[in-house]
């Protein structure tokens, strides 16, 4: 069965721009979480969506936002990009009631 | 605070030896712990998990030990192979935030 698919794999953006990343979860998985991975901070939780609603949120500024569609696909948006937003953005999905998160391969965002 | 940390950032072992990767966690209320393996260019991949009502769980060549008294988690890999070379993360499921809290990671290098 298909895994978690994230697109695009790589992105280069300029400071001040905005970016949208996409995540398609495993079929049947309605919970989608996003994580930011950097060498300095490691893996940090951004937010979780379930049934098109943000259910949990991490400690990131409001420039980071997301949404989930009725088919459970999710997008995250970062506005007014800063150099420090350069990171690997990971999406993970799971079935409700389980702890079995499956991660995608991530989107590598570089802000120049 | 919420944190899960690793004692050793790097570990180098000889092929065929056993590897032990350690992790300390801070949330005594967490009831689920996971070990992930991350290879270059990929997202974290599930290895093994354990619930807080257990102190040991075994998989294929891997064993996870949980010591709730000292809030310590370890991953043992038997007969380590070159394909085990990767970064290993422990993660704690934080119920109140509905998120995984990751440790900083340990890079395992297996010498042939």
């Amino acid at each position: 069965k298909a895994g978690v698919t994230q697109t695009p794999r790589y992105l280069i953006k300029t400071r001040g721009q905005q970016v949208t990343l996409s995540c398609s979860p495993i079929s049947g998985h309605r919970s989608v979480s996003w994580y930011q991975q950097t060498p300095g901070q490691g893996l940090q939780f951004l937010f979780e969506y379930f049934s098109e609603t943000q259910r949990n949120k991490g400690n990131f500024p409001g420039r980071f936002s997301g949404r989930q569609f009725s088919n459970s696909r999710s997008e995250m948006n970062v506005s007014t990009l800063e150099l420090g937003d350069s990171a690997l953005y990971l999406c993970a999905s799971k079935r409700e009631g389980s702890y079995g998160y499956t991660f995608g391969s991530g989107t590598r965002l570089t802000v120049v | 605070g919420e944190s899960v940390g690793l004692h050793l950032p790097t570990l180098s072992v000889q092929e065929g030896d056993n590897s032990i990767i350690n992790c300390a966690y801070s949330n005594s209320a967490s009831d689920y712990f996971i070990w992930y393996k991350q290879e270059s260019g990929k997202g974290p991949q599930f290895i093994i998990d354990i619930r807080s009502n257990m102190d040991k769980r075994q998989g294929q060549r891997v064993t996870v030990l949980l010591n709730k008294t000292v809030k310590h988690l370890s991953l043992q890999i038997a007969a380590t192979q070159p394909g085990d070379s990767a970064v290993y993360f422990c993660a704690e499921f934080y119920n109140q935030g509905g998120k995984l809290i990751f440790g900083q990671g340990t890079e395992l290098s297996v010498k042939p």
Side-chain angles (χ1 to χ4, degrees):
Chain A
K1 78 182 179 185
V4 177
T5 303
Q6 291 188 246
T7 57
R9 285 299 309 274
Y10 303 93
L11 267 178
I12 300 176
K13 289 287 188 179
T14 304
R15 271 182 303 174
Q17 288 186 313
Q18 73 164 13
V19 67
T20 299
L21 312 181
S22 179
C23 171
S24 293
I26 290 174
S27 178
H29 288 194
R30 295 167 60 197
S31 167
V32 175
S33 297
W34 289 87
Y35 289 81
Q36 182 196 63
Q37 185 174 25
T38 61
Q41 299 297 317
L43 280 145
Q44 292 189 295
F45 174 76
L46 281 156
F47 28 65
E48 181 207 10
Y49 284 86
F50 178 77
S51 289
E52 303 178 62
T53 301
Q54 186 181 89
R55 185 158 66 174
N56 291 292
K57 189 177 189 304
N59 296 323
F60 279 82
R63 299 186 296 108
F64 292 81
S65 62
R67 59 177 175 169
Q68 187 180 34
F69 302 94
S70 59
N71 61 356
S72 296
R73 189 176 70 85
S74 177
E75 290 181 345
M76 68 162 282
N77 184 274
V78 188
S79 63
T80 318
L81 283 165
E82 301 177 0
L83 295 179
D85 296 332
S86 295
L88 179 67
Y89 290 88
L90 292 158
C91 168
S93 73
K94 73 177 184 75
R95 288 186 187 281
E96 185 63 2
S98 83
Y99 295 118
Y101 289 90
T102 302
F103 282 82
S105 294
T107 293
R108 171 73 63 186
L109 172 65
T110 302
V111 183
V112 297
Chain B
E2 306 167 357
S3 67
V4 179
L6 292 169
H7 297 309
L8 300 173
T10 60
L11 179 64
S12 183
V13 301
Q14 205 69 35
E15 181 179 359
D17 287 351
N18 296 333
S19 302
I20 299 177
I21 301 172
N22 296 302
C23 174
Y25 65 93
S26 60
N27 292 295
S28 56
S30 293
D31 61 2
Y32 183 71
F33 304 87
I34 315 162
W35 281 99
Y36 285 96
K37 171 186 180 183
Q38 187 175 26
E39 296 173 288
S40 182
K42 297 183 180 180
Q45 177 185 3
F46 172 91
I47 302 172
I48 191 168
D49 58 2
I50 188 167
R51 292 187 180 271
S52 60
N53 61 355
M54 304 170 69
D55 53 19
K56 181 179 180 179
R57 190 165 187 221
Q58 289 184 290
Q60 186 176 13
R61 286 201 304 119
V62 294
T63 301
V64 55
L65 299 177
L66 175 63
N67 185 331
K68 293 181 289 293
T69 302
V70 295
K71 298 181 191 173
H72 185 267
L73 197 67
S74 69
L75 175 70
Q76 300 177 0
I77 304 174
T80 314
Q81 303 168 0
D84 294 327
S85 294
V87 177
Y88 290 80
F89 294 93
C90 63
E92 162 188 19
F93 185 75
Y94 186 55
N95 277 317
Q96 292 183 20
K99 62 186 178 184
L100 292 173
I101 299 173
F102 283 86
Q104 66 185 71
T106 292
E107 183 171 5
L108 175 65
S109 175
V110 182
K111 295 178 284 187

